[in-house]
Structure formats: structure tokens, C-alpha cells
Amino acid sequence: MEGLETLKQWVEESNNIVFFGGAGVSTESGIPDFRSVDGLYHQKYDYPPETILSHTFFMRKTSEFYKFYADKLLLEGAKPNAAHLKLAEWERMGKLKAVITQNIDGLHQMAGSKEVLELHGSVQRNNCMKCGAFYDFHTVKEKVERSGAELDAKDPDYMVPKCDKCGGTIKPDVVLYEEGLDDDVITKSVNYIANADILIIGGTSLVVYPAAGLIDYYRGKKLVLVNLSATPQDSRADLIVRGKIGEVFSQL
Ligand code: CNA
């Protein structure tokens, strides 16, 4: 595979790698991305995914939101793949400083990574919008399923998880379209990227802003892109490895 040997050598020589990734990192774990041919944007729904995953839609059509969310994003049983595992291993070896991810699936932490900056939040954390009570992934999944089994599909609360303490609606700690990113996560990400020796970008179409704009802070000369398809930033890369990220990382 072209570029693989160079990447291998750069990784061996470095102890300041930063990884920036997206949905393509988890497709080999069975979680569909947005923009690939079998991604969510090419499947049929009553509304486009970016509409369903917006703040306005969540507030106005909460039941519709949870139907899509439960079907496509609240996936149980997904396991980290070779890419997640290799990144965690590099961190343990002191080679990698941080994983910055647009993913919300929690697979990097499951693989053992510690410094994970989640730009778009996580399905693992959920809070009641009224009283703030915390709920984990499994509890929310159970509540969504129970509500789906007990209520009529036309009920406005169909599949909507409710708080045990106050009855309020539970919302995932996921950054929806129209919502802002966490300042602290952004500041830390900028610092890691600005000081990185190697920036490896993988499994992302680099079209979702402001996240994709973070790579502008990189000042080094080892910008690596590991992606299945071309991105608008390919011309800026010092090295491109075209392939499946799990397969690529298992050879590093
Ligand atoms: P995207 O726009 O769907 O792009 C994915 C990119 O990854 C494409 O360029 C693909 O060609 C590429 N790709 C797919 N599979 C592989 C693979 N095995 N190896 C290498 N490259 C691959 O996704 P982005 O992350 O760029 O878009 C940002 C959105 C998608 C973020 O807001 C995420 O929250 C959101 N998302 C997250 C998940 C998740 O958490 N796993 C799933 C679906 C969408």
C-alpha cells in the first residue's frame, strides 16, 4: 500500500503524534458513517439526517428524533477495531498525546485511550433536561425500547426516554446541528494540534465545520491523511494513505 512504509517510519520516530478522526474510524466496527455509499445520507428517511440531528428537530419532534437515533446511533455491541486499539497502544507507549474525534460512539475509550477529546459529545452521557440527572447509555437504550414497546407510535412520547426523578425528557450529550462546541474541548484540541509533530487525520470527509477547521492549527510537516475517499484537504497533506483505516493501522 502506497505511503504505508513512510507512515510506519514516521510513527516509529515520533513521540508526539496527535490523531484527528471521524465516522470512518468506526465503520469497520459496524457503525455506518454519514457520507459513504452505505452511509446514513444514502438511506431513506422521512427527513434528511442533518435535519433530524438538529436542535430544533430534537425540541419539536423528540419522538421522531429518538426513532432515528435508536435505529442508527444507539448501537449496542460495537467493538473497537484495529485503529482504535493501535491508537490506545501508542498512547500507552508514550508516542501519542491525544485522540481528537468527531465520533460520539465511545469506542476510543473502550479501546483504552485516555486522552480523548470528543468534539461532538458522546452517546455514553445523557442528562435530564429539567433536573440534570445523569443517565448512561444502557439505561437510555432500555428506556427508549420500553417506551417504544409500551406506547402507541402516534404518542408524542413514543420512544422518548424520561427521567425517573422528575419525568423530564432525557437528552444525549451529543452536539446537534445548531449547537455550539465545548470551549474547553476546542482549546485543548487546538493546543495538541498546534504542538504536534505528526498529525494523522483518518476516516473523516473533513466537511463538517468548525471541527474540520481545527487542522489549520497544525504547523508541522507531517500531515497524514488515511481515508478511503478523497477529501477537500488532500492537497495540504504531506502523505496520503488510501485504504481502510483498520487495515492500515493493523500494519503499523
Ligand atoms: P463522514 O462525513 O460520514 O465521512 C466519513 C469519511 O470516512 C468518508 O470520507 C469515508 O470515505 C471515510 N471512511 C469510511 N470508512 C472508512 C474506513 N474504514 N477507513 C478509512 N476511511 C473511511 O463523517 P465525518 O466524521 O467526517 O463527519 C462528521 C460527523 C459524522 C460527525 O459529526 C460525527 O458525529 C458523525 N457520525 C459519527 C458516527 C460515530 O460516532 N461513529 C457515526 C456516523 C456519523
Side-chain angles (χ1 to χ4, degrees):
M1 194 181 288
E2 219 179 309
L4 191 67
E5 282 311 310
T6 309
L7 177 56
K8 212 168 178 172
Q9 197 187 331
W10 285 1
V11 167
E12 266 163 29
E13 290 164 1
S14 181
N15 58 6
N16 186 1
I17 304 167
V18 170
F19 180 81
F20 177 89
V25 175
S26 295
T27 52
E28 286 160 272
S29 295
I31 302 178
D33 64 5
F34 278 177
R35 291 174 185 82
S36 292
V37 273
D38 50 355
L40 298 181
Y41 282 8
H42 296 267
Q43 301 177 18
K44 286 275 164 280
Y45 298 100
D46 292 347
Y47 305 88
E50 61 269 62
T51 303
I52 305 178
L53 296 172
S54 70
H55 182 81
T56 309
F57 195 91
F58 179 86
M59 300 307 282
R60 294 204 186 136
K61 293 182 181 287
T62 318
S63 174
E64 282 281 334
F65 171 91
Y66 270 110
K67 263 194 266 175
F68 175 88
Y69 185 74
D71 208 20
K72 299 297 169 192
L73 294 168
L74 212 51
L75 302 174
E76 205 152 30
K79 299 247 165 12
N81 63 50
H84 299 103
L85 294 169
K86 185 63 74 174
L87 290 165
E89 186 187 317
W90 288 347
E91 187 184 29
R92 282 194 298 275
M93 290 165 73
K95 298 178 77 61
L96 178 129
K97 299 283 187 212
V99 168
I100 302 165
T101 183
Q102 298 164 87
N103 293 349
I104 55 171
D105 54 33
L107 288 183
H108 285 294
Q109 289 91 335
M110 214 185 281
S113 283
K114 298 279 179 261
E115 187 68 342
V116 182
L117 295 163
E118 295 172 313
L119 296 169
H120 294 158
S122 173
V123 296
Q124 306 291 335
R125 300 182 298 269
N126 305 269
N127 292 92
C128 169
M129 290 201 293
K130 225 175 184 179
C131 74
F134 177 86
Y135 291 93
D136 65 16
F137 174 88
H138 295 286
T139 313
V140 168
K141 193 170 168 63
E142 267 171 34
K143 282 177 176 291
V144 170
E145 282 165 2
R146 204 177 326 127
S147 161
E150 287 170 0
L151 298 179
D152 185 86
K154 290 203 177 71
D155 191 301
D157 283 339
Y158 176 73
M159 293 189 97
V160 176
K162 294 285 180 182
C163 179
D164 294 329
K165 299 186 176 80
C166 75
T169 295
I170 298 170
K171 184 174 183 288
D173 183 9
V174 163
V175 180
L176 299 174
Y177 289 97
E178 305 161 357
E179 293 179 345
L181 275 57
D182 184 281
D183 281 344
D184 192 40
V185 174
I186 291 280
T187 307
K188 279 187 179 160
S189 301
V190 166
N191 276 331
Y192 278 122
I193 290 174
N195 295 305
D197 165 26
I198 308 179
L199 177 62
I200 306 179
I201 301 170
T204 170
S205 57
L206 291 174
V207 296
V208 176
Y209 282 79
L214 285 176
I215 67 169
D216 294 344
Y217 291 94
Y218 179 63
R219 297 176 294 191
K221 292 201 161 36
K222 289 173 182 164
L223 183 75
V224 184
L225 271 176
V226 184
N227 215 55
L228 265 183
S229 56
T231 80
Q233 307 286 349
D234 281 13
S235 61
R236 292 176 53 186
D238 299 296
L239 184 67
I240 294 180
V241 183
R242 192 71 72 224
K244 288 192 171 180
I245 194 162
E247 285 175 15
V248 172
F249 273 51
S250 63
Q251 296 174 66
L252 292 174

